[in-house]
Amino acid sequence: MNYLVAFLLAIVSYSLVNNVIVARFYGICSFVGVGGKVKSAASMGVAVSFVILLATLICYPIYHFLLVPAGVPFLDTLTYILVIACLVQVVGLFIKKKSPSLYKSLGIYLPLITTNCAVLGVVSENTMSNLDFLTSLANAVGTSLGYLFAITVYACIRVRLESANTPKAFKGVPIALIVAAIMAIAFMGLQGIGQ
Amino acid sequence: MSKSNHRESFVSGIFANNPLFVSLLGICPALAVTKSIEAAIGMGLLFTFVLVCSNVLVSALRKFIPELISTPCYIIIIATFVTLVKMMAEAFLPELYSTLGVFVSLLVVNCVILGRAEAFASKNGVLDSLLDGIGNGIGFTLAIVLIAAVREILGAGTITIGQTFTFLVGEGDPTRLPILKGPGYDVSLFALTTPAGGFLVLGIVLAIIAAIKNAKARKKAVDERLAKEKAKAEAMAAKAAQAAKEAKQ
């Protein structure tokens, strides 16, 4: 029971208190790039979440049962990026076979998941902070939920932003970053929960 | 390639095609490591090293890498250099390594490095790719140092020297130069050192750059119109003079 509570608390902490985008700054490129398309943002979020989860599940045993016993823990980054790249390929093939319509709607975002910092960021963070398996898993689940939440909410705001009358110099990315700043302030308010 | 082209590939990355401010790539490190100027300089150095090395190697191997699997090849080349940089930073600059944290590993998926490999090094010679790497490295470093300077000076109110680069002060404590915060006064804006401040500063800097560009474009349009009107007026005057001349005859 204690484990379960700790696990759930860790998920809350990683998803809301230390939100992947507005507090840890992973995956901002995709965050800003997807822009004001709610549907693409949501499907991108789901795909990234899936890859984060799988990558964590695969990379944890690879690091602890392969790289460390072999005496080459410094190869972690290289191994992780290979695992992630293969994983994205496999997930792409799987989606293509099972649901061609989803594959079409994800389109160019699929290959971009490989270079999404959120995936490599979570996996590297788990290794760097020496987290145990359950905490790593909580980090992965929390980060995925946080990413999905932040990118969808952000896309919704940006839909409204496009029709808003912003100053000419702020049009496009600058105002989007200001909005992200306001979102970050909102998430900062949640930091009290962590203590 | 001629000399001017070499110069072009070097200079273009610094201002005209600045990776952060113009191409909007590499925003993650630009927000995450810009709390202090020193961390930004350190990140810029590591970034430049990886970019230059990967550019040179990708360019040298460009005839051997099959196009179908080019991106995975680039990622592996970049990851190799990142591993190298990681080990060097851990050994020689441990404070820098712990300050930057995961973001050293995340250089592997940095859009700027991969983008330069795809867009430039895979199509150009080794020397040009080297210059392009140095130019883009300087451009990115300048950009993140600018953001870090705004955030540290306005946010923390002081400039700290020797916290990340400990060799600068030897055994002593880091030196803090008071600017907005010192004995007896404090007008610093704490919020700018928080994550929200990072987004805010980058957004405002981008808006300022856009405003300057807009003003330049407007000025150019006005100049062109004035030049056209002037030419028109001159042509009319010439015509009138001609007509007057003919009337005289």
Side-chain angles (χ1 to χ4, degrees):
Chain A
M1 194 61 203
N2 267 339
Y3 278 115
L4 190 67
V5 172
F7 186 70
L8 290 178
L9 276 182
I11 288 180
V12 171
S13 144
Y14 284 119
S15 60
L16 294 177
V17 182
N18 289 311
N19 185 276
V20 53
I21 290 172
V22 294
R24 282 187 277 167
F25 300 125
Y26 304 154
I28 312 239
C29 296
S30 63
F31 186 63
V32 176
V34 166
K37 288 173 234 108
V38 180
K39 216 181 152 208
S40 332
S43 23
M44 174 85 173
V46 172
V48 168
S49 308
F50 191 57
V51 175
I52 290 179
L53 208 59
L54 274 185
T56 309
L57 284 176
I58 296 174
C59 289
Y60 185 86
I62 286 186
Y63 182 77
H64 286 273
F65 302 120
L66 200 73
L67 294 182
V68 173
V72 285
F74 57 85
L75 285 181
D76 54 350
T77 311
L78 200 67
T79 321
Y80 295 163
I81 194 71
L82 279 178
V83 168
I84 293 167
C86 296
L87 212 56
V88 170
Q89 286 286 345
V90 172
V91 168
L93 287 177
F94 185 77
I95 295 179
K96 198 176 180 183
K97 185 126 196 206
K98 287 282 167 196
S99 160
S101 61
L102 178 63
Y103 185 76
K104 223 175 188 177
S105 72
L106 280 178
I108 52 155
Y109 296 119
L110 257 182
L112 284 183
I113 297 175
T114 312
T115 55
N116 190 315
C117 335
V119 184
L120 188 65
V122 170
V123 182
S124 303
E125 201 179 77
N126 288 342
T127 311
M128 253 187 143
S129 339
N130 238 333
L131 300 181
D132 59 38
F133 185 68
L134 263 188
T135 322
S136 300
L137 201 62
N139 188 0
V141 175
T143 305
S144 316
L145 290 178
Y147 185 85
L148 188 58
F149 177 63
I151 200 168
T152 315
V153 169
Y154 191 60
C156 296
I157 300 176
R158 283 193 62 183
V159 170
R160 289 304 191 84
L161 212 55
E162 268 161 26
S163 53
N165 186 17
T166 45
K168 206 177 161 201
F170 277 94
K171 278 220 156 65
V173 176
I175 192 73
L177 285 170
I178 308 277
V179 168
I182 296 170
M183 260 178 86
I185 294 174
F187 273 90
M188 253 163 71
L190 295 168
Q191 260 165 15
I193 302 174
Q195 282 142 16
Chain B
M1 273 218 179
S2 63
K3 221 167 200 171
S4 67
N5 273 344
H6 291 322
R7 216 178 134 244
E8 172 66 16
S9 44
F10 176 65
V11 177
S12 133
I14 303 181
F15 296 109
N17 288 312
N18 188 293
L20 179 63
F21 288 153
V22 180
S23 317
L24 294 174
L25 296 173
I27 303 182
C28 309
L31 294 174
V33 301
T34 50
K35 256 193 219 169
S36 79
I37 297 174
E38 279 189 318
I41 293 175
M43 185 70 193
L45 287 179
L46 302 186
F47 170 88
T48 308
F49 180 82
V50 175
L51 178 61
V52 169
C53 293
S54 82
N55 251 6
V56 168
L57 195 62
V58 165
S59 162
L61 295 177
R62 69 186 186 281
K63 301 221 165 76
F64 303 100
I65 296 178
E67 213 178 320
L68 198 61
I69 54 157
S70 56
T71 310
C73 290
Y74 300 154
I75 290 183
I76 292 176
I77 290 174
I78 297 167
T80 313
F81 286 116
V82 169
T83 307
L84 207 74
V85 156
K86 232 171 103 178
M87 293 170 84
M88 287 201 303
E90 205 173 356
F92 298 116
L93 295 164
E95 283 82 12
L96 178 67
Y97 182 71
S98 62
T99 310
L100 299 181
V102 172
F103 284 89
V104 186
S105 301
L106 286 185
L107 279 175
V108 177
V109 287
N110 190 301
C111 333
V112 183
I113 301 179
L114 198 62
R116 289 330 285 171
E118 295 252 10
F120 195 90
S122 61
K123 297 188 188 88
N124 290 284
V126 175
L127 181 62
D128 276 313
S129 303
L130 175 79
L131 292 173
D132 179 76
I134 300 174
N136 274 285
I138 294 175
F140 188 75
T141 309
L142 285 181
I144 58 175
V145 169
L146 172 71
I147 295 173
V150 173
R151 283 181 75 185
E152 188 170 4
I153 293 171
L154 295 184
T158 55
I159 295 180
T160 311
I161 299 171
Q163 191 158 45
T164 311
F165 297 122
T166 35
F167 59 86
L168 287 178
V169 285
E171 293 291 303
D173 284 338
T175 328
R176 285 175 211 279
L177 302 177
I179 292 177
L180 291 183
K181 188 163 93 180
Y185 66 99
D186 180 2
V187 285
S188 61
L189 305 158
F190 164 73
L192 289 184
T193 56
T194 62
F199 282 110
L200 200 64
V201 171
L202 183 61
I204 291 174
V205 169
L206 286 178
I208 292 172
I209 291 173
I212 293 172
K213 260 189 199 159
N214 286 346
K216 266 190 186 159
R218 226 173 13 245
K219 188 165 177 284
K220 204 175 154 201
V222 170
D223 280 350
E224 264 169 19
R225 212 179 61 217
L226 286 181
K228 225 184 221 167
E229 271 170 13
K230 208 176 159 197
K232 216 172 169 185
E234 269 170 13
M236 290 252 291
K239 225 179 198 174
Q242 186 99 21
K245 221 174 177 186
E246 269 167 19
K248 228 178 192 177
Q249 279 167 0

